[in-house]
Amino acid sequence: MEKKHVTHMARNVLELWNIGVFACVWMGCYNAFVFDTYWKLGGMITVFLFFTVYNMLCNLYKAFRIASSSMGDTIFSQVVSFGIADLLFYVECCLVWNRYVSIVPGLAAAAAQISGTALLVVCSKRYMMEHITPKGTLLIYGAETAKEEAEAFSGRILTKYAHLFDIRLTESEQKPWEELKADVDRYDTILLYELSNGKRTDLVTYCMQKQKVLYFTPRIFDIMLQGCSPRHLLDTPLMKYDYTYERYNEDRKKRIMDLLLSFTGLILLSPVLLATALAIKLEDNGPVFFKQKRCTKDARVFEILKFRSMVVDAEKYGVIPCGVKDPRITRVGRLIRATRIDELPQLINILRGEMSFVGPRPERVEHVEQYMKDVPEFAYRMRVKGGLTGYAQIFGKYNTSAYDKLRLDLMYIENQSFLLDLKLIMLTFRTVFQPESTEGFAEEKVRKINQKSKQRKTVSVEAAVQDRKVLEQIAK
């Protein structure tokens, strides 16, 4: 309760500050340009509209999640939220006045909003971390999960959310049931990591009876259930799988949005595209574009376009994932990878109809073959057209595991809608500026992947042909 009290208070103060700063600057500098008559009423309506837009954007970007987000993420989300709202109303003022209106007062307002927001978020977060004790947490992992993997998951949680979780015990689901129940009774928060179906059902039921704070990792089937709707044909409840992705993927609205965004993007970003192409050419005189065969809907193969960010012969020793400090990345490449500029040529792929703006990231043919062996459910991911951005790009990272990427992408596939696409496009703008989203694989993980890659090279030709047949079966 104390944590909620702090976050609610911080939210109220943030709203008052950012809306108050906007109201003062608008009424003092811009309102007269928009409203000749009904000056006060027009100003009040404008401030109310700003409040509405600002809160909608804050909810979209999770800008009020002070407890469960880092200070940097919260501040950045706030800046994006009130920044977009400020800009919208400044543009409205210029359009109504039909001439340029000085942007200086608006910039001063933005500076005040940024400094006030940063101060409020830092103070709220520090108070929370100093005065609120994280809840004692029990982590239970599945029988097929190694303890090292569970401990690695625990470490990732504590790296970002040590102020929320105090993981004091890590246990396997194979522990005797009575002992597991006794462990659950001792802790406030329970994390269930990759449990088997039967054991997870028992533990979830018991945790709900005891009203514990409960988190658990979903299985593929759990996510697919999101694509079902209830049917009351009899007095026996029925669930019908709706194949929502088939209807939406053929929707003209999605294709029209793809055409408009890709065409507009190519025009507006043409200076950036030309400058990037010139920089790549000047650095080593190599080709500007990098082409790669990728799989999209129904396992169709196409050539994806990217700005080249590595040396020309980067893959002469085979397919090697990019590491944290990969020496193959050029100086220009580091900049365009960090800012996602290297992905912009894919607007051409979208214009051609080979990709969509939003969808699961199209994977390399070699990776698809391997993922299909390790995770057979990966076939479900290719039920829709590949995209420039998607759930896994926004909520995951470059080095997120294939299974976790699959779960994220299936969440999108089973919940597709025009509004969801718009939401993900807007969230992409924030993701571009988050360094961890482009984080490479750790050196140890690269070494293991390289070993697997070398082992795969020794596979016979017959096995390779069989892999291709798997892809053909998916297409059918």
Side-chain angles (χ1 to χ4, degrees), residues 147-372:
K147 186 174 184 178
E148 293 76 15
E149 183 183 343
E151 289 174 345
F153 174 78
S154 172
R156 285 160 51 204
I157 286 280
L158 294 177
T159 299
K160 293 190 70 174
Y161 303 109
H163 58 289
L164 298 179
F165 302 99
D166 179 13
I167 300 178
R168 300 174 187 171
L169 182 64
T170 301
E171 290 286 0
S172 170
E173 67 172 31
Q174 294 176 303
K175 191 174 183 178
W177 175 240
E178 292 301 323
E179 293 182 24
L180 272 181
K181 288 200 297 183
D183 289 337
V184 169
D185 291 339
R186 292 201 304 270
Y187 294 97
D188 301 301
T189 302
I190 312 299
L191 290 175
L192 306 181
Y193 181 70
E194 309 296 6
L195 265 62
S196 59
N197 282 332
K199 188 67 73 171
R200 190 183 71 175
T201 301
D202 293 340
L203 280 166
V204 166
T205 303
Y206 186 73
C207 289
M208 290 172 67
Q209 290 174 353
K210 296 293 183 176
Q211 294 188 318
K212 300 292 182 179
V213 178
L214 177 65
Y215 300 83
F216 62 89
T217 52
R219 292 186 170 273
I220 298 296
F221 185 71
D222 300 329
I223 299 171
M224 291 176 66
L225 285 176
Q226 296 176 15
C228 296
S229 59
R231 290 290 185 271
H232 303 290
L233 306 180
L234 303 168
D235 53 354
T236 300
L238 293 172
M239 298 295 288
K240 178 178 180 292
Y241 188 67
D242 292 326
Y243 297 93
T244 306
Y245 61 88
E246 287 187 355
R247 292 200 307 270
Y248 181 65
N249 226 45
E250 296 169 0
D251 196 328
R252 290 181 180 179
K253 288 187 295 184
K254 186 175 179 70
R255 182 58 186 152
I256 290 170
M257 182 175 70
D258 287 342
L259 289 170
L260 287 174
L261 289 175
S262 57
F263 185 72
T264 305
L266 286 170
I267 292 174
L268 294 178
L269 296 171
S270 56
V272 177
L273 297 171
L274 291 171
T276 304
L278 183 62
I280 293 170
K281 198 69 179 175
L282 289 175
E283 181 170 10
D284 59 10
N285 203 36
V288 169
F289 295 111
F290 175 68
K291 298 180 181 180
Q292 201 174 65
K293 292 189 180 299
R294 298 284 183 105
C295 282
T296 185
K297 185 183 179 184
D298 298 329
R300 289 198 301 268
V301 178
F302 73 103
E303 280 196 333
I304 199 170
L305 290 173
K306 299 178 76 172
F307 278 127
R308 183 174 58 84
S309 60
M310 291 188 174
V311 295
V312 176
D313 56 351
E315 294 188 347
K316 66 179 180 180
Y317 298 113
V319 178
I320 303 173
C322 182
V324 177
K325 297 180 180 178
D326 200 311
R328 297 172 299 166
I329 302 176
T330 63
R331 286 176 298 175
V332 173
R334 293 197 183 280
L335 175 62
I336 63 176
R337 287 171 74 94
T339 55
R340 302 291 184 92
I341 292 174
D342 63 322
E343 309 284 358
L344 291 181
Q346 287 157 47
L347 293 172
I348 299 172
N349 291 116
I350 297 172
L351 203 60
R352 292 173 180 169
E354 297 165 335
M355 290 174 58
S356 183
F357 212 92
V358 181
R361 198 80 181 112
E363 290 285 356
R364 297 182 63 148
V365 176
E366 309 86 51
H367 291 172
V368 170
E369 294 168 353
Q370 185 60 34
Y371 293 156
M372 286 286 296

Side-chain angles (χ1 to χ4, degrees), residues 3 9 14 50 52 60 68 73 116 142 152 166 169 172 189 214 218 230 305 345 348 352 392 438 464:
K3 181 182 75 176
M9 179 65 71
L14 278 170
F50 177 87
T52 304
L60 173 67
S68 58
D73 283 348
D166 179 13
L169 182 64
S172 170
T189 302
L214 177 65
L305 290 173
I348 299 172
R352 292 173 180 169
T438 57

